[in-house]
Amino acid sequence: MPVLPGAEPYRHDGGEVGVLLCHGFTGSPQSLRPWAEHLAAHGLSVSLPLLPGHGTRWEDLRATGWEDWYAHLDRELWQLSERCERVFVAGLSMGGALALRLAAKHGDRVTGVVVVNPANRVHGLAAYALPVLRHLIPSTKGIASDIAKGAATELGYDRVPLHAAHSLRRFLRVLDGELPQVTQPLLLLRSAVDHVVPAADSARVLSRVSSTDVTESVLEQSYHVATLDHDADRIVEESLAFVDRLAPRVGKEGTAPVG
């Protein structure tokens, strides 16, 4: 199936500091594209891949699982680290969860982690019935475009395939056991109002990781897809400051930054 217009992956070869960005479940690179382009404009190397089963039609997602999504990102991380001295991982929602697993598994290869409204579990009573429901009901209502900013929309599926949702639930349970392996500096940004991922998920992540350099930032004006919402500029600014603190780069005038 052809990729939907706007859902294409994005890459930029910049300097020796790289950022791997991960989009969310049923979403696409479109939700992180402005963030990626701002990072690239500041001289960073950026990789924003399209996860398997995403960006085409929801039926394609049904045939994939978390192992496919993670393996794709794992390969992207290796490729980015081959040309960059320092690599950061970042993501939105499920993408944040995948970024945390990359950090847990790759140790010193990952310099820092930035997550926006990271998912930690699939919520609701129906989640416990997914092992059976997925064989009876192919899909349910979509979760895309939880955005406070009226003019903004997320390019994502209008249906959630239950086979893939079941796989996501399994992945998040695996990740929860691995979170103590995350030791890298962590910047976690969460929306004060989120209709997809509750604040309890961020709290769980913060309570489970072993990182000692942790910053939590509350986004007061955005819903779940904060990267396209009123706080999008703030996400860019805080993530750039985080990267520059941990991996100082040569300044615009060709001089090393002071301090």
Side-chain angles (χ1 to χ4, degrees), residues 4-194:
L4 296 169
E8 302 87 358
Y10 173 82
R11 289 179 180 82
H12 174 77
D13 289 332
E16 293 299 320
V17 178
V19 181
L20 172 59
L21 292 166
C22 316
H23 68 76
F25 183 61
T26 74
S28 74
Q30 176 262 354
S31 63
L32 302 182
R33 184 66 178 260
W35 188 9
E37 291 178 344
H38 276 93
L39 295 176
H42 282 80
L44 297 167
S45 291
V46 179
S47 175
L48 172 53
L50 174 65
L51 298 181
H54 292 76
T56 52
R57 57 176 190 165
W58 71 263
E59 291 89 348
D60 295 331
L61 182 56
R62 188 182 183 189
T64 68
W66 78 263
E67 297 90 347
D68 303 304
W69 314 327
Y70 178 77
H72 189 79
L73 290 172
D74 191 75
R75 290 191 295 271
E76 291 285 336
L77 178 63
W78 280 101
Q79 292 174 11
L80 192 60
S81 61
E82 284 180 354
R83 64 179 189 269
C84 294
E85 292 182 1
R86 300 283 189 91
V87 175
F88 292 77
V89 293
L92 167 69
S93 193
M94 179 190 76
L98 290 165
L100 286 163
R101 187 167 203 259
L102 289 170
K105 292 298 183 183
H106 286 278
D108 292 342
R109 188 174 293 274
V110 174
T111 299
V113 188
V114 182
V115 292
V116 180
N117 295 322
N120 180 257
R121 58 177 293 192
V122 176
H123 295 270
L125 292 175
Y128 297 97
L130 278 173
V132 175
L133 278 179
R134 65 194 176 104
H135 296 294
L136 305 174
I137 304 172
S139 67
T140 189
K141 181 181 177 182
I143 57 174
S145 286
D146 184 35
I147 303 173
K149 190 176 181 180
T153 57
E154 180 188 15
L155 181 57
Y157 294 148
D158 60 359
R159 304 295 297 176
V160 175
L162 294 193
H163 275 293
H166 175 62
S167 184
L168 172 60
R169 180 172 180 259
R170 289 192 297 108
F171 164 63
L172 293 176
R173 295 177 72 177
V174 169
L175 173 64
D176 191 67
E178 297 173 341
L179 284 175
Q181 299 174 35
V182 177
T183 60
Q184 298 91 338
L186 171 65
L187 170 61
L188 186 149
L189 303 106
R190 66 172 180 84
S191 298
V193 178
D194 187 328

